[in-house]
Amino acid sequence: CRRDGVGVEVVLKPAYVVKGAVRRVIVRGRNDAVGTLPFFALCNTSGVNDPHGGPPTYTNPEWDRGGRIDEYDASVKYADDALGRLLQALDQRELRKNTLVSLTSDHGESLGQHGLTYHGQALYRELIHVPLVMWYPGHVPGGAKVQTPVTHAAIPATILDILGASTQPNAFLSSSLSALWETGGTDGTESPSDIAAHRRRS
């Protein structure tokens, strides 16, 4: 966002530009005179939104034939390529093994299912079933999959738990998800998810 004294103007930039800015912040921290500084970077991109297919400067993959699903998948590939460059920058600076990386999305997309062609109008599975990836070698078990539905509200507590930071009781709306990694959330463990809470109330 950019403030101009009157209001707030939202400036949308391609994912490569946003993640390039994050790389520059990391480089400055790495080259600081006092040594490598800890950093927190929240990178939010909206490239996987309508219009799909990536920005005009992006060469779409050969399999993108212009259909709605093809264009959506091309948008995902563009975002994935940009993320890959950011992770490569961490590798080049020997930071990736000591950096917690979390990846998620705020929503999915209707691509003709249930007669819908966008999001924000319903809560079907394709709209609320989004990825949540935690990657931190030696701290998060590789390959572990949690089957239980969870909530984005658990992300802050989970990150601090992984990093070993102490927090006040009930500091967040939801507790850490780390307890689910060992079980995959399939052994009857109570889920900290909004969905599960709704089912218990109904």
Side-chain angles (χ1 to χ4, degrees):
C1 296
R2 182 172 58 206
R3 298 184 181 274
D4 58 8
V6 178
V8 177
E9 176 187 3
V10 177
V11 180
L12 299 179
K13 297 182 179 181
Y16 276 125
V17 175
V18 174
K19 291 183 171 68
V22 174
R23 288 199 302 273
R24 289 191 292 274
V25 170
I26 294 171
V27 171
R28 284 200 298 270
R30 184 67 172 172
N31 296 332
D32 190 273
V34 298
T36 303
L37 298 176
F39 66 91
F40 171 84
L42 175 62
C43 187
N44 183 16
T45 60
S46 59
V48 192
N49 272 307
D50 192 45
H52 298 134
T57 56
Y58 180 62
T59 302
N60 285 359
E62 294 181 359
W63 44 258
D64 181 4
R65 304 300 181 185
R68 182 177 297 276
I69 294 177
D70 286 343
E71 289 183 348
Y72 180 80
D73 288 348
S75 298
V76 174
K77 184 180 185 302
Y78 167 73
D80 185 67
D81 290 345
L83 175 63
R85 290 194 178 189
L86 178 58
L87 295 180
Q88 286 177 353
L90 292 176
D91 274 336
Q92 292 168 358
R93 291 160 182 83
E94 300 180 352
L95 291 172
R96 192 171 176 185
K97 292 183 179 180
N98 194 35
T99 300
L100 168 61
V101 177
S102 178
L103 172 68
T104 191
S105 176
D106 57 340
H107 60 77
E109 197 76 281
S110 287
L111 300 172
Q113 302 96 322
H114 307 286
L116 301 175
T117 56
Y118 200 50
H119 62 271
Q121 301 173 341
L123 292 173
Y124 291 112
R125 182 175 175 81
E126 63 268 17
L127 293 168
I128 63 174
H129 186 211
V130 298
L132 174 57
V133 179
M134 296 282 183
W135 189 91
Y136 193 15
H139 302 270
V140 178
K145 294 183 179 180
V146 174
Q147 302 299 327
T148 302
V150 298
T151 171
H152 282 146
I155 294 177
T158 303
I159 290 176
L160 292 180
D161 185 21
I162 294 172
L163 297 178
S166 60
T167 59
Q168 295 295 324
N170 303 318
F172 299 104
L173 294 176
S174 187
S175 57
S176 171
L177 302 176
S178 60
L180 298 178
W181 293 334
E182 299 301 326
T183 64
T186 59
D187 67 344
T189 302
E190 181 176 301
S191 167
S193 72
D194 293 334
I195 294 176
H198 172 74
R199 287 174 177 168
R200 288 195 296 272
R201 290 193 298 268
S202 60

